[in-house]
Amino acid sequence: MSLIGKKLGALQPTDLSADLPLPLYLQLAKHLRAQITSGKLGANESLPAERELAEFLNVSRVTVRKALGVLAKEGLLSNRQGSGWFTNSSPYVEQRLSTLTSFTEDMQSRGLNAGVSWLDRTVSAATPEETLLLNLRPGERVSRLNRLRLAGDKPLCIELSVLPVKYLPDPFAVQGSLYGHLRELGAAPFRALQRLSAVSLIADLAGKLDLPEGAPALYIERRTFLKDGAPLEFVSSHYRGDAYDFVVELALA
Ligand code: GLP
């Protein structure tokens, strides 16, 4: 196999076909995306030059450039002046949708270190919306943790967690994992409902995640419950769209 084909995960000229309904540049982008998101093409790896790629794949340079441009927009590749195209260094993380795990556990299972940069922690009266979501009495107080969560030293998501003070009396007592701390307090998360949507980031959030304003992100809301069904936390998170992937397992009913 040629060196280029090997580097690109056994990509062969015959893998791209003008007969398919998907334009050639999107076929190429799809193939390269799969290499990057599966980790086969690691972080900070250089790609073959545009000209070499075009010759090897028997397509025009315009096609190659358009494909690389698509992945650059998604944040997976960057073009370094004079040195060509490189994969970005943001870690790519998959989360299973069907298991209730914490951020710390998600990172650890991938051999990454879960870091945190605290944005804010407070205790105050719940808003009317939080009162409803957490099934509180009017005027009940909540602890709020606002964290920039890191994989190694790379920002991955911004997460605002709101918990009734009866389960988390002191947000400053949380050192590492919130779920670890809750388990120690006897308030172990048992079940959660989660909803995901795609958003583009406002300038403030984008800046904290090292992304340009308007970059794509996954917005996730999670409501977690104790074993007895009482609501334990309401969390809203913005995950970098280029670094996080959610995997769901489907079984026959
Ligand atoms: C994930 C969930 C949050 C949860 C957090 C706990 O990020 N989306 O709902 O609060 O994990 O993580 P940790 O225990 O690492 O603080």
Side-chain angles (χ1 to χ4, degrees):
M1 187 193 307
S2 82
L3 206 64
I4 299 186
K6 203 166 169 192
K7 179 146 206 171
L8 301 182
L11 176 63
Q12 293 302 312
T14 47
D15 291 337
L16 306 182
S17 162
D19 295 335
L20 292 175
L22 198 64
L24 283 174
Y25 78 97
L26 289 180
Q27 291 177 40
L28 178 55
K30 191 173 159 197
H31 185 91
L32 291 174
R33 186 185 299 111
Q35 294 304 304
I36 299 168
T37 57
S38 64
K40 288 186 188 132
L41 207 55
N44 280 319
E45 260 193 65
S46 66
L47 293 191
E50 288 177 11
R51 180 184 45 77
E52 285 174 336
L53 263 175
E55 274 170 21
F56 173 72
L57 294 169
N58 214 2
V59 295
S60 72
R61 268 184 83 165
V62 176
T63 298
V64 170
R65 199 165 303 147
K66 274 172 85 174
L68 300 175
V70 168
L71 299 177
K73 266 207 189 118
E74 292 174 13
L76 294 173
L77 293 179
S78 322
N79 193 346
R80 297 187 195 158
Q81 202 66 44
S83 321
W85 290 92
F86 285 79
T87 52
N88 279 340
S89 58
S90 58
Y92 194 81
V93 176
E94 279 186 359
Q95 186 191 113
R96 292 171 71 85
L97 275 178
S98 49
T99 19
L100 176 57
T101 49
S102 72
F103 184 87
T104 306
E105 289 160 342
D106 282 345
M107 294 304 115
Q108 280 169 351
S109 66
R110 281 155 195 94
L112 297 166
N113 204 12
V116 64
S117 167
W118 286 95
L119 302 173
D120 203 12
R121 7 188 177 185
T122 54
V123 177
S124 56
T127 64
E129 202 202 354
E130 289 163 351
T131 302
L132 286 177
L133 287 165
L134 293 170
N135 216 0
L136 301 174
R137 283 189 307 278
E140 254 189 272
R141 292 162 76 74
V142 289
S143 289
R144 289 199 186 77
L145 318 176
N146 197 4
R147 295 178 284 178
L148 175 65
R149 315 219 58 181
L150 315 159
D153 58 355
K154 298 266 175 297
L156 197 56
C157 82
I158 295 169
E159 194 154 70
L160 174 65
S161 317
V162 185
L163 298 95
V165 282
K166 59 188 170 216
Y167 302 126
L168 181 68
D170 178 11
F172 288 89
V174 178
Q175 297 300 329
S177 163
L178 169 64
Y179 279 10
H181 183 69
L182 290 170
R183 284 183 196 117
E184 278 169 20
L185 295 178
F190 182 75
R191 184 178 76 86
L193 285 175
Q194 192 159 283
R195 108 172 165 196
L196 285 77
S197 52
V199 293
S200 40
L201 291 168
I202 57 165
D204 175 47
L205 297 178
K208 292 191 171 82
L209 289 170
D210 277 352
L211 290 170
E213 181 178 357
L218 281 168
Y219 175 67
I220 300 168
E221 283 181 354
R222 181 186 283 191
R223 218 150 68 99
T224 311
F225 304 86
L226 296 170
K227 197 167 182 181
D228 67 6
L232 171 65
E233 66 164 1
F234 176 68
V235 182
S236 38
S237 326
H238 288 86
Y239 283 84
R240 284 182 69 126
D242 60 346
Y244 224 83
D245 197 10
F246 290 84
V247 178
V248 67
E249 191 172 275
L250 305 174
L252 283 176

